[in-house]
Amino acid sequence: MKKQIRLLGVDDAPFSFDDKVVRVIGVVMRGGEYVEGVLRRQVTIDGTDATGTCIEMIESTRHRKQLKSFILDGVSLGGFNIVDIEKIFSRTDLPVITLTRDLPDFKQIEFALKQHFKDWENRLVIMTRGQLHQVKTKHNPIYVKCAGINIDEAKEIIKLSTIRGVIPEPIRLAHLIASGITRGESYGKA
Amino acid sequence: MKKQIRLLGVDDAPFSFDDKVVRVIGVVMRGGEYVEGVLRRQVTIDGTDATGTCIEMIESTRHRKQLKSFILDGVSLGGFNIVDIEKIFSRTDLPVITLTRDLPDFKQIEFALKQHFKDWENRLVIMTRGQLHQVKTKHNPIYVKCAGINIDEAKEIIKLSTIRGVIPEPIRLAHLIASGITRGESYGKA
């Protein structure tokens, strides 16, 4: 696999419980090295528009033709606004990789969804669909899901786009930008 | 000089004539390679707060102690809100480098300042103070001013932080972020 493949990484901004919408930042990079573009959208907090917003970002960017993969931090944007990675792949034909540092606690998630959403079952189905792979790194393991790509290719993309730590640069940068523009200075980890 | 020195690069967002303020984005990098932080401030369009805002950004960032230079695209932020690079250096002790792709047309600038500002003379004095150096690159020459640092050191910093083209990564990225978050997708060159 080429080291310079184009990746679009996405993360959401921090938000408070008063907010209705939250910014979503996308970063287009060649591998983990060179930033080619920055995108900004918004999604409804706890809404159902995250999947559509991801599809629209992919389809409308000027970098569309060069993109080889879409990388997401976790499986939701803006609280419980679940991202349907299978749907993104089937609509755009762009392979999708999601990753998290922590093993999701699906019992706790199910409990929270039941408390807050009439359509909790649908959200849970999307969230738990597909295999969750534990991937070893030099540091702690990460948890990876993918659509339209096998786990070995996904691992390769994660590896070639990670410079320090365990988070690929496109989503690490998306996190820095999203938190920086919201709070005045970026903080923490994607 | 170490390749991994910390630099803070700053650029302003695009704005329209109806706007009163404009976002200013700062990017903290190690050399031209690794982003460590993103800052966001705002300045008044055609105001007089750009210098103070730059000083406050430098002094308040968590990366303050590591910073070796402040890099600016041009000598103003938000239209004719002139940045006094000598003042930034004297207040913060951080060397300042400004660069532009185009040789400024000071006659035209003087004409515009006279038309719009009572304090035009003061703005012009700040803008034209200090030596403007033409610096050769592989591409077109760039025009560089510096404060608290000599032109040879400034050239070295520009060289080590430029990956492609002629613009150092911290201000290239600040431009991509500022335009991306304002317009939805980044465009053009810093």
Side-chain angles (χ1 to χ4, degrees):
Chain A
M1 197 177 290
K2 274 196 209 166
K3 262 199 86 175
Q4 298 270 311
I5 57 167
R6 256 57 153 216
L7 305 169
L8 169 57
V10 159
D11 200 8
D12 54 3
F15 56 89
S16 65
F17 285 104
D18 300 335
D19 296 335
K20 297 273 182 284
V21 294
V22 62
R23 283 194 200 91
V24 170
I25 297 295
V27 174
V28 178
M29 291 187 85
R30 298 193 206 178
E33 282 169 12
Y34 191 75
V35 178
E36 300 220 306
V38 174
L39 307 171
R40 188 256 314 143
R41 296 291 186 277
Q42 67 178 36
V43 298
T44 314
I45 292 167
D46 288 341
T48 56
D49 55 356
T51 305
T53 299
C54 291
I55 293 169
E56 186 276 325
M57 275 179 109
I58 293 165
E59 292 298 352
S60 71
T61 170
R62 72 178 70 183
H63 302 280
R64 173 67 192 96
K65 283 184 185 166
Q66 287 77 46
L67 291 180
K68 294 287 182 283
S69 184
F70 181 75
I71 313 183
L72 196 64
D73 183 25
V75 291
S76 67
L77 294 167
F80 282 115
N81 199 334
I82 317 297
V83 178
D84 186 339
I85 66 169
E86 295 289 346
K87 190 169 176 178
I88 294 176
F89 174 66
S90 72
R91 289 285 174 86
T92 65
D93 222 33
L94 186 67
V96 181
I97 301 167
T98 79
L99 57 90
T100 54
R101 295 168 178 277
D102 303 307
L103 185 62
D105 180 342
F106 287 114
K107 284 206 172 159
Q108 211 177 331
I109 289 167
E110 182 174 339
F111 183 78
L113 287 173
K114 277 182 180 168
Q115 299 253 311
H116 293 101
F117 302 103
K118 279 186 188 169
D119 64 344
W120 67 269
E121 213 162 355
N122 192 34
R123 292 182 196 238
L124 192 66
V125 165
I126 299 169
M127 219 171 184
T128 53
R129 199 160 47 197
Q131 196 183 341
L132 188 68
H133 305 266
Q134 179 176 312
V135 173
K136 283 180 190 168
T137 76
K138 281 182 200 168
H139 308 274
N140 291 325
I142 54 172
Y143 300 89
V144 178
K145 257 193 199 184
C146 32
I149 186 174
N150 67 49
I151 184 66
D152 290 328
E153 288 172 307
K155 280 187 201 172
E156 206 176 331
I157 288 173
I158 292 168
K159 197 173 169 189
L160 72 82
S161 61
T162 303
I163 295 185
R164 284 187 177 79
V166 300
I167 301 295
E169 284 297 286
I171 56 178
R172 193 185 70 84
L173 264 176
H175 170 80
L176 288 179
I177 296 168
S179 64
I181 63 171
T182 303
R183 299 272 169 86
E185 175 151 13
S186 53
Y187 65 93
K189 293 170 170 184
Chain B
M1 197 176 291
K2 274 196 207 166
K3 263 199 86 176
Q4 298 270 312
I5 57 167
R6 258 54 155 218
L7 305 169
L8 169 56
V10 160
D11 200 7
D12 54 3
F15 57 89
S16 64
F17 286 104
D18 299 336
D19 297 336
K20 298 273 184 283
V21 294
V22 62
R23 284 193 199 90
V24 170
I25 297 295
V27 174
V28 178
M29 291 186 84
R30 298 193 206 176
E33 281 168 15
Y34 191 75
V35 178
E36 300 219 307
V38 174
L39 308 171
R40 188 255 315 142
R41 296 291 186 278
Q42 67 177 36
V43 299
T44 313
I45 292 167
D46 289 342
T48 56
D49 54 356
T51 305
T53 299
C54 291
I55 292 169
E56 186 277 325
M57 276 178 108
I58 293 166
E59 293 298 352
S60 71
T61 170
R62 72 178 70 184
H63 302 280
R64 173 68 192 94
K65 282 184 186 167
Q66 287 78 44
L67 291 180
K68 295 287 180 284
S69 183
F70 181 75
I71 313 183
L72 196 65
D73 183 25
V75 291
S76 67
L77 294 167
F80 282 115
N81 199 334
I82 316 298
V83 178
D84 186 339
I85 66 170
E86 294 289 346
K87 189 169 177 179
I88 294 176
F89 174 66
S90 72
R91 289 285 174 86
T92 65
D93 221 33
L94 185 67
V96 181
I97 301 168
T98 78
L99 58 90
T100 54
R101 294 167 178 280
D102 303 307
L103 185 63
D105 181 342
F106 287 115
K107 284 208 170 155
Q108 211 178 330
I109 290 167
E110 182 174 339
F111 183 79
L113 287 172
K114 278 182 180 169
Q115 298 254 310
H116 293 101
F117 302 102
K118 278 186 187 170
D119 65 344
W120 67 270
E121 212 160 357
N122 192 34
R123 292 183 196 237
L124 192 66
V125 165
I126 299 169
M127 218 170 186
T128 53
R129 196 159 50 197
Q131 196 183 341
L132 188 67
H133 305 266
Q134 180 175 312
V135 172
K136 283 181 191 168
T137 75
K138 281 181 202 169
H139 309 275
N140 291 325
I142 54 172
Y143 299 90
V144 178
K145 257 192 198 186
C146 34
I149 186 174
N150 67 47
I151 184 65
D152 290 329
E153 287 171 308
K155 279 188 203 172
E156 205 176 332
I157 288 174
I158 292 168
K159 197 174 168 187
L160 71 81
S161 62
T162 303
I163 295 185
R164 284 185 177 80
V166 300
I167 301 296
E169 284 297 286
I171 56 178
R172 193 185 69 86
L173 264 177
H175 170 80
L176 288 180
I177 297 168
S179 64
I181 63 171
T182 303
R183 298 273 169 87
E185 175 151 10
S186 53
Y187 66 92
K189 294 170 168 184

